[in-house]
């Protein structure tokens, strides 16, 4: 009986390591996917702010006697700047899509319970790595691949080695080699997203659109005040206007928080790859890093925490805050 127990302990330990690695990789993949959704959210907010500005502009223009000039044709002039067709061609969107596909497939491969799930996740992961190649070539206008054919052949071979049954030792080996092989290229995708967020001017555009809307809302408030109005209505309106002002103040912080989250994805993936390279499948530092990434996603809209972490905070003449680290 004692011999059986002694034999069982190493097996349990090995199984525990595999489960821990799978959980860590899955948690990492899920967190990265959540960050890519935040990047999409910035583009969505850019669209929303632009549309709100146009709606406000039209509401101010086609007012009183001018209301007769409004027509369905005029309404067709209102449009969002980033249409689905435009989005497909944006470097930031292409890089973000490639990163999200990789993260999702990595998480699915780590948690797959059946062979069919392994096959689906494997195909998705292989496809995502090919997509990173395609997106990189479009962004950089080059014919060079990020993943060379040997890298992709290795990934395919490793996944196939998992076999007809789920063998944790083979899956662990596959996850290790895939993360290590992808690290340099994931860093490049993250750098692309950060660079495009910086160069896009979206944070200034969002702030400008929001400021225009607030200015028009204040003018309307003043007009209403000239007529009879109750204290309760004025208080509610001031609270609403104050909320609009706060959105303007935090416009840059939203984009900066997104860039910090993407940078954390880059450094986290590098740390995960380094730990796996050294066969540290249950590294405490990796667990801590994944925890930090998950907390960043969880508290993404908590700008107060972002400001508390800033070494230098600036404010422009409109009161818009910026973390100048």
């Amino acid at each position: 009986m004692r011999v059986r127990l002694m034999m069982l302990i190493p097996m349990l330990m090995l199984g525990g390591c595999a489960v821990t690695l799978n959980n860590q990789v899955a948690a990492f993949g899920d967190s990265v996917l959540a960050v890519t959704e935040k990047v999409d959210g910035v583009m969505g907010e850019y669209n929303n702010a632009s549309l709100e500005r146009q709606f406000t502009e039209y509401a101010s223009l086609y007012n009183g006697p001018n209301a007769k000039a409004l027509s369905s044709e005029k309404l067709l002039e209102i449009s969002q700047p980033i249409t689905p067709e435009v989005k497909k061609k944006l470097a930031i969107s292409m890089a973000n899509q490639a990163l999200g596909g990789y993260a999702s497939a990595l998480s699915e491969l780590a948690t797959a319970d059946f062979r069919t799930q392994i096959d689906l996740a494997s195909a998705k992961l292989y496809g995502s790595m090919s997509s990173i190649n395609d997106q990189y070539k479009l962004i950089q206008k080059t014919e060079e691949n990020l993943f060379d054919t040997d890298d992709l052949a290795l990934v395919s071979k490793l996944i196939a080695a998992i076999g007809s049954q789920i063998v944790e030792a083979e899956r662990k080996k596959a996850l290790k080699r895939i993360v290590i092989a992808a690290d340099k290229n994931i860093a490049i995708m993250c750098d692309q997203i950060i660079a495009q967020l910086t160069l896009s001017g979206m944070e200034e555009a969002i702030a400008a659109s929001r400021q225009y809307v607030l200015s028009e809302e204040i003018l309307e408030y003043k007009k209403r005040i000239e007529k009879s109005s109750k204290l309760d209505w004025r208080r509610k309106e001031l609270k609403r206007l104050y909320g609009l002002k706060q959105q303007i103040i935090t416009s840059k912080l939203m984009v900066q928080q997104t860039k910090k989250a993407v940078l954390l994805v880059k450094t986290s993936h590098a740390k995960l790859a380094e730990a796996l390279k050294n066969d540290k499948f249950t590294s405490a530092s990796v667990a801590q890093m994944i925890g930090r990434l998950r907390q960043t996603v969880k508290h993404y809209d908590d700008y107060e925490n972002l400001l508390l972490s800033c070494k230098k905070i600036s404010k422009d003449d409109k009161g818009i805050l910026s973390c100048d680290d």
Side-chain angles (χ1 to χ4, degrees), residues 38-325:
K38 299 301 183 185
V39 175
D40 270 334
V42 170
M43 290 184 279
E45 189 53 44
Y46 174 65
N47 271 343
N48 292 338
S50 175
L51 286 172
E52 192 66 22
R53 175 173 184 156
Q54 292 174 74
F55 292 142
T56 303
E57 188 176 9
Y58 272 54
S60 299
L61 178 62
Y62 298 105
N63 184 32
N66 293 331
K68 294 179 181 180
L70 184 62
S71 64
S72 58
E73 287 74 20
K74 288 289 183 184
L75 289 175
L76 288 175
E77 295 174 1
I78 298 174
S79 63
Q80 58 185 27
I82 305 179
T83 63
E85 292 75 22
V86 170
K87 190 175 181 181
K88 288 178 184 177
K89 300 175 184 178
L90 286 178
I92 181 175
S93 181
M94 290 190 287
N96 195 51
Q97 183 181 8
L99 181 61
Y102 168 78
S104 176
L106 191 67
S107 179
E108 288 177 22
L109 182 59
T111 56
D113 293 325
F114 305 103
R115 182 63 208 176
T116 52
Q117 293 177 337
I118 286 279
D119 289 340
L120 287 171
S122 301
K124 187 174 178 179
L125 184 58
Y126 188 89
S128 72
M129 295 172 85
S130 298
S131 174
I132 289 175
N133 270 347
D134 295 337
Q135 305 295 23
Y136 176 78
K137 287 192 284 188
L138 283 170
I139 293 168
Q140 296 295 336
K141 295 180 175 58
T142 179
E143 290 303 314
E144 292 184 13
N145 285 316
L146 276 178
F147 287 104
D148 60 34
T149 52
D150 290 339
D151 285 336
L152 291 175
L154 174 62
V155 169
S156 181
K157 183 179 179 181
L158 288 168
I159 291 170
I162 295 173
S164 59
Q165 297 179 356
I166 296 181
V167 181
E168 290 302 339
E170 293 298 334
R171 173 154 55 180
K172 185 166 70 171
K173 180 181 177 182
L175 288 171
K176 171 185 173 180
R177 296 297 294 272
I178 289 166
V179 171
I180 292 171
D183 186 50
K184 176 186 68 176
N185 305 327
I186 294 304
I188 291 172
M189 288 294 105
C190 288
D191 287 341
Q192 281 290 339
I193 294 170
I194 293 169
Q196 293 302 317
L197 281 171
T198 302
L199 296 171
S200 67
M202 279 193 281
E203 59 186 51
E204 289 83 4
I206 291 170
S209 292
R210 288 176 172 177
Q211 182 61 57
Y212 175 83
V213 171
L214 177 60
S215 299
E216 291 297 315
E217 292 278 3
I218 290 174
L219 285 175
E220 185 65 21
Y221 173 83
K222 290 176 180 178
K223 291 177 184 177
R224 295 283 297 272
I225 288 296
E226 291 176 2
K227 304 173 183 179
S228 59
S229 61
K230 294 182 179 180
L231 174 63
D232 187 53
W233 177 84
R234 295 196 300 272
R235 181 167 48 237
K236 286 179 180 177
E237 279 298 286
L238 286 170
K239 285 181 179 179
R240 187 176 68 85
L241 295 174
Y242 176 79
L244 292 177
K245 182 62 178 178
Q246 291 304 305
Q247 289 180 2
I248 296 168
I249 289 172
T250 58
S251 294
K252 284 191 175 183
L253 296 180
M254 175 183 63
V255 179
Q256 290 177 338
Q257 182 80 308
T258 306
K259 288 194 286 188
K260 284 197 171 187
V262 175
L263 180 60
L264 187 56
V265 167
K266 175 184 174 180
T267 56
S268 298
H269 194 282
K271 187 169 286 188
L272 177 62
E274 185 63 28
L276 294 178
K277 197 179 293 183
N278 295 322
D279 291 327
K280 294 180 180 179
F281 298 110
T282 56
S283 170
S285 62
V286 170
Q288 185 180 28
M289 168 271 296
I290 293 172
R292 185 183 170 199
L293 187 58
R294 295 175 80 172
Q295 283 296 103
T296 297
V297 172
K298 184 178 179 181
H299 299 290
Y300 175 80
D301 295 320
D302 189 349
Y303 301 126
E304 185 176 341
N305 277 340
L306 175 61
L307 289 172
L308 288 173
S309 69
C310 291
K311 294 178 181 178
K312 182 182 177 183
I313 302 171
S314 63
K315 183 189 296 186
D316 68 11
D317 56 352
K318 292 185 178 65
I320 299 174
L321 298 174
S322 180
C323 183
D324 295 336
D325 288 4

